[in-house]
Amino acid sequence: MKVFVRKRYKEELSLNVVNNILTILHMPLIENIEYINGNGRCVIIENKNEKIYVIVSRENADARNAFLAQYIPTVLSEFIEDSCINKKIYIYLLDTSEKAKTNFIIDTYRVAKTLGIDILNEKDLKMSPIMPYMTFKDWKYAKIDRQNYNPANNSSYAMEEETEYTIFGKLYGANGKDSSFTACQLAKIAEKENKTINFVQVKEHGTESISNTDRKLLEYYNVNVSDGAIILKDKQIHDKSTCRKQDEFKYNLLEKYGIKKCYLCGCDIEQNIIASHIHRITDINHSVLSDAEKRTQAVDADNGFWLCANHDKMFENGIITFDQSGNLVINSLMKENQKNFINHITDVMKIKDEHLNKNLLNYLMLHNKRVNLGL
Ligand SMILES: [Zn+2]
């Protein structure tokens, strides 16, 4: 039997740690570790025709990702590429104190379990059993419960669409690793649900695309990686961006309005929620604007709302709209009995002050002119 550890982790993944792992695995203890080059923060055990990869968490991690999440993709990639047929992969926690039980870290365990990676010393956490995520909603609601399901604070954001999931993943450093890891587990879920999964790259700190290792990992799990990257709003340089405009528009809506939810009725059945433009793409395309200006308008969050399919159509057709004070207006041509079909909304609704600005009102003016409501 041979045990390998990367030279760079020589101090932390000591003989003592290795023998603790071997004890749990009911394997004989060793006296020597073989140190090798490379990056993976793991212990690799080779025994006859069997190979075991154990990802080891970090003690005294300075960032929440640095506890465990950021190490998983690298080791997982190596594991997947290993031609050994009889191979296994686990996690071993160096620290099982309260620090290992924050909501963020528990999410990491659950994501790992969804990918089939168990924790060797889970019982040391002294918690009720950690469950894998079974469905997309299961994962999403766990995130919402943590109340930080906000693309600005998270490394990644995923949304449900009719036949697919789209994940927006930040690319830089630990965020990049975390978003790849999340995308892989969502791919596992998507597979069960017969959906596809797309990974849209979000450029951050100059990192323009995911690493080759992560790309291979995503491809292994059948994640479609989009070409190009979204550029975070405050650093937007439209003419250089090569990302699909629709993805960029959606990402900007997420940043402005939060998760997919109809602005009017609050419906949050994600498959029914549309990234709805105020001033339509077709009108933008037929305008006299330069290509750069067209692009700006097409992806501008001020030029849109999340609307359910019903309210999207009603807005597009001028059955409902907002006036220049942001108040909801119902088309006066609607008959009383037809108004019943404008479900769950009333004309006391208005655009919230924090969302209302000159830019949005300008789009609205163009829209109202088109639908000919004379507002
Ligand atoms: Zn609605």
Coordinates of all heavy atoms in Angstrom, one line a residue, residues 261-267 273 306-312 343-345, ligand 1:
K261 N -39.1 36.5 -10.0 CA -40.4 36.6 -9.4 C -41.1 37.7 -10.1 O -40.6 38.7 -10.3 CB -40.1 37.0 -7.9 CG -41.2 36.9 -7.0 CD -40.7 37.2 -5.6 CE -41.7 37.2 -4.5 NZ -41.2 37.4 -3.2
C262 N -42.4 37.5 -10.4 CA -43.1 38.5 -11.2 C -43.2 39.8 -10.4 O -43.6 39.8 -9.3 CB -44.5 37.9 -11.5 SG -45.5 39.2 -12.4
Y263 N -42.8 40.8 -11.1 CA -42.8 42.1 -10.4 C -44.2 42.6 -10.0 O -44.4 43.3 -9.0 CB -42.2 43.2 -11.3 CG -41.7 44.4 -10.6 CD1 -40.6 44.4 -9.8 CD2 -42.4 45.6 -10.7 CE1 -40.2 45.5 -9.1 CE2 -42.0 46.8 -10.0 CZ -40.9 46.7 -9.2 OH -40.4 47.8 -8.5
L264 N -45.2 42.1 -10.7 CA -46.6 42.5 -10.4 C -47.3 41.6 -9.5 O -47.9 42.0 -8.5 CB -47.3 42.6 -11.8 CG -46.9 43.8 -12.6 CD1 -47.4 43.7 -14.0 CD2 -47.3 45.1 -12.0
C265 N -47.3 40.3 -9.7 CA -48.2 39.4 -8.9 C -47.3 38.6 -7.9 O -47.9 37.9 -7.1 CB -49.0 38.5 -9.8 SG -48.0 37.3 -10.7
G266 N -46.0 38.7 -8.0 CA -45.2 37.9 -7.1 C -45.1 36.4 -7.4 O -44.4 35.7 -6.6
C267 N -45.6 36.0 -8.5 CA -45.5 34.6 -8.8 C -44.0 34.2 -8.9 O -43.2 34.9 -9.6 CB -46.2 34.3 -10.2 SG -45.8 32.7 -10.9
I273 N -41.5 32.6 -15.4 CA -41.0 34.0 -15.2 C -40.1 34.3 -16.4 O -39.2 33.6 -16.7 CB -40.3 34.2 -13.9 CG1 -41.2 33.7 -12.7 CG2 -39.9 35.6 -13.7 CD1 -42.5 34.3 -12.6
W306 N -38.8 41.3 -14.2 CA -39.2 39.9 -14.2 C -40.7 39.9 -14.2 O -41.3 40.5 -13.3 CB -38.8 39.1 -12.9 CG -37.3 38.9 -12.7 CD1 -36.6 39.3 -11.6 CD2 -36.4 38.1 -13.6 NE1 -35.3 38.8 -11.8 CE2 -35.2 38.1 -12.9 CE3 -36.6 37.5 -14.8 CZ2 -34.1 37.5 -13.5 CZ3 -35.5 36.9 -15.4 CH2 -34.2 36.9 -14.7
L307 N -41.3 39.3 -15.2 CA -42.8 39.2 -15.2 C -43.2 37.7 -15.5 O -42.5 37.0 -16.2 CB -43.4 40.1 -16.3 CG -43.3 41.6 -16.1 CD1 -43.8 42.3 -17.3 CD2 -44.0 42.1 -14.8
C308 N -44.4 37.3 -15.0 CA -44.9 36.0 -15.3 C -45.4 36.0 -16.7 O -45.6 37.1 -17.3 CB -46.0 35.6 -14.3 SG -47.5 36.5 -14.5
A309 N -45.6 34.9 -17.3 CA -45.9 34.8 -18.7 C -47.2 35.6 -19.0 O -47.2 36.3 -20.0 CB -46.1 33.3 -19.1
N310 N -48.1 35.5 -18.1 CA -49.4 36.3 -18.3 C -49.2 37.8 -18.3 O -49.6 38.5 -19.2 CB -50.3 35.9 -17.1 CG -51.7 36.3 -17.4 OD1 -52.2 36.5 -18.5 ND2 -52.4 36.6 -16.3
H311 N -48.5 38.3 -17.3 CA -48.3 39.7 -17.2 C -47.3 40.2 -18.2 O -47.3 41.4 -18.6 CB -47.9 40.1 -15.8 CG -49.0 39.9 -14.8 ND1 -48.9 39.3 -13.6 CD2 -50.3 40.2 -15.0 CE1 -50.1 39.2 -13.0 NE2 -51.0 39.8 -13.8
D312 N -46.4 39.4 -18.6 CA -45.4 39.8 -19.7 C -46.2 40.1 -21.0 O -46.0 41.1 -21.6 CB -44.4 38.6 -20.0 CG -43.6 38.8 -21.2 OD1 -42.7 39.7 -21.2 OD2 -43.8 38.1 -22.2
N343 N -54.9 38.8 -13.1 CA -54.9 38.2 -11.8 C -54.0 38.9 -10.8 O -52.8 39.3 -11.1 CB -54.4 36.8 -11.8 CG -55.4 36.0 -12.6 OD1 -56.6 36.2 -12.5 ND2 -54.9 35.0 -13.4
H344 N -54.5 39.0 -9.6 CA -53.7 39.4 -8.4 C -53.0 40.8 -8.5 O -52.0 41.0 -7.8 CB -52.6 38.4 -8.1 CG -53.1 37.0 -7.9 ND1 -53.9 36.8 -6.8 CD2 -52.9 35.9 -8.5 CE1 -54.3 35.5 -6.8 NE2 -53.7 34.9 -7.8
I345 N -53.4 41.6 -9.4 CA -52.8 42.9 -9.4 C -53.9 44.0 -9.4 O -55.0 43.8 -9.8 CB -51.8 43.2 -10.5 CG1 -52.5 43.1 -11.9 CG2 -50.6 42.3 -10.4 CD1 -51.6 43.5 -13.0
Ligands
ZN1 ZN -47.5 38.1 -12.8

